């Protein structure tokens, strides 16, 4: 156990692109699904550490809208793992007052996993210790386009006026409407891209890339990233 550090500043909203499960498995001559299983352990470790450090919002990219293009066997396994994870995790979430939510187009998620997801969301709706959001079947361009269309409809039917359109109003049409923008974005596995993740919301997020594959990421790695965040000077365009 690493000693708890007192950080001078901690992100209010941490977002993570959990990448590298497949490569982790490949390195060990295992099937990709073993990497995804191991990745769930990392998520558990990170959720615990995030609570310990008082981070209020954690959003994790679990499945992108582009990930539907993966082989059917992998997609099915991931959907099964989602269901399993949610069922196993529910008592932990309730015990630790973690509210679960999602961003994304869950209409494409298989019925049983979707049902479990909605059940866990409902069972944790009074929780307020940590807001854990899963980005599922999530694509940022899709989200922005859907928001624009819904806003246009509301303008057309007179619910809002064109002159009222501002960034705040537009944000209220995004999947992320109930959360602040991420302060810190971590991507594991060495890839230096954002892969259609929260493009609108990360406008001023600090970004941290690590070569560590997601299944190897845990409390220690998170602390390393938070130490890095602590040193960042956020100017938001000012001097
Ligand atoms: C991230 O790991 C998990 C998902 C995208 C579902 P990957 O499955 O992308 O692993 P790599 O990038 O192939 O190693
Ligand atoms: C991004 O990882 C999506 C998730 C982590 C869920 P990918 O592995 O799908 O991204 P690319 O294809 O390397 O950009
Ligand atoms: Mg990947």
């Amino acid at each position: 156990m690493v000693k708890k550090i007192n950080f001078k500043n901690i992100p209010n909203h941490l977002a993570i692109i959990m990448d590298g499960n497949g490569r982790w498995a490949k390195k060990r001559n295992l099937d990709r699904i073993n990497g995804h299983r191991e990745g769930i352990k990392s998520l558990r470790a990170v959720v615990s550490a995030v609570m310990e450090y008082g981070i209020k919002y954690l959003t994790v990219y679990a499945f992108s809208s582009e990930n539907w293009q993966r082989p059917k066997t992998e997609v099915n396994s991931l959907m099964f793992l989602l269901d399993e994870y949610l069922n196993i995790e529910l008592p932990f979430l309730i015990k630790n007052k973690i509210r679960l939510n999602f961003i994304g187009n869950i209409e494409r998620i298989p019925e049983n996993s979707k049902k479990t997801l909605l059940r866990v969301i409902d069972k944790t709706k009074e929780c307020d210790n940590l807001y854990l959001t899963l980005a599922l079947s999530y694509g940022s361009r899709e989200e922005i386009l859907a928001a624009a269309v819904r806003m246009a409809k509301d303008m057309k039917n007179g619910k809002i006026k064109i002159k009222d359109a501002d960034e705040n109003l537009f944000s209220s049409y995004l999947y992320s409407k109930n959360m602040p923008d991420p302060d810190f974005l971590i991507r594991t596995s060495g890839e230096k891209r954002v892969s259609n993740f929260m493009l609108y919301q990360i406008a001023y997020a600090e970004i941290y890339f690590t070569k560590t594959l997601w299944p190897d990421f845990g409390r220690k790695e998170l602390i390393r990233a938070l130490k890095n965040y602590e040193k960042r000077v956020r100017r938001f365009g000012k001097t």
Side-chain angles (χ1 to χ4, degrees), residues 18-24 32 36 62-63 67 70 74 78:
M18 312 183 288
D19 196 18
N21 295 351
R23 277 163 283 170
W24 183 93
R32 293 177 59 86
H36 296 312
F63 192 86
N67 289 151
R70 291 189 178 193
E74 179 166 349
L78 282 165

Side-chain angles (χ1 to χ4, degrees), residues 4-215:
K4 190 171 172 189
I5 300 158
N6 285 315
F7 291 105
K8 282 194 288 296
N9 48 304
I10 209 102
N12 180 43
H13 184 174
L14 168 66
I16 307 180
I17 301 175
M18 312 183 288
D19 196 18
N21 295 351
R23 277 163 283 170
W24 183 93
K26 196 170 176 211
K27 263 177 42 185
R28 288 160 180 80
N29 267 320
L30 297 168
D31 194 76
R32 293 177 59 86
I33 193 67
N34 293 290
H36 296 312
R37 274 202 180 280
E38 208 58 31
I40 290 179
K41 293 187 194 163
S42 297
L43 179 57
R44 287 202 178 100
V46 166
V47 167
S48 294
V50 152
M51 275 194 301
E52 188 187 339
Y53 283 98
I55 293 169
K56 239 9 220 181
Y57 293 83
L58 173 65
T59 302
V60 293
Y61 205 2
F63 192 86
S64 75
S65 46
E66 289 75 25
N67 289 151
W68 289 112
Q69 296 165 59
R70 291 189 178 193
K72 221 177 150 141
T73 47
E74 179 166 349
V75 170
N76 289 345
S77 302
L78 282 165
M79 293 304 141
F80 172 81
L81 279 182
L82 169 67
D83 195 43
E84 189 185 73
Y85 166 76
L86 291 168
N87 277 311
I88 294 176
E89 229 53 18
L90 181 58
F92 176 85
L93 298 178
I94 292 173
K95 184 164 173 253
N96 292 284
K97 297 196 173 64
I98 301 171
R99 181 171 184 173
L100 188 92
N101 229 319
F102 74 88
I103 52 173
N105 175 12
I106 60 155
E107 287 319 304
R108 295 184 71 179
I109 305 269
E111 211 47 51
N112 52 334
S113 305
K114 196 165 70 188
K115 242 173 88 184
T116 307
L117 176 69
L118 296 176
R119 187 169 62 87
V120 174
I121 288 172
D122 186 61
K123 294 262 186 219
T124 60
K125 65 173 190 276
E126 309 291 340
C127 300
D128 60 359
N129 202 12
L130 167 68
Y131 300 98
L132 171 62
T133 303
L134 305 179
L136 286 172
S137 187
Y138 176 87
S140 198
R141 287 186 168 184
E142 190 179 282
E143 174 188 34
I144 293 168
L145 178 63
V149 169
R150 280 194 293 119
M151 191 160 150
K153 276 186 187 156
D154 281 351
M155 283 172 177
K156 203 175 161 204
N157 64 29
K159 232 168 122 185
I160 56 168
K161 296 191 180 76
I162 293 180
K163 70 170 179 50
D164 294 333
D166 62 10
E167 290 176 11
N168 274 334
L169 185 65
F170 185 70
S171 297
S172 72
Y173 286 90
L174 296 169
Y175 295 138
S176 59
K177 56 181 177 296
N178 293 320
M179 50 172 140
D181 288 342
D183 302 290
F184 195 31
L185 172 66
I186 296 176
R187 180 170 189 149
T188 60
S189 90
E191 308 298 354
K192 295 191 179 67
R193 53 177 173 262
V194 290
S195 303
N196 205 12
F197 186 55
M198 302 190 94
L199 303 181
Y200 190 86
Q201 298 88 338
I202 61 169
Y204 264 104
E206 296 296 324
I207 305 185
Y208 178 88
F209 295 107
T210 169
K211 284 192 177 138
T212 304
L213 302 173
W214 178 249

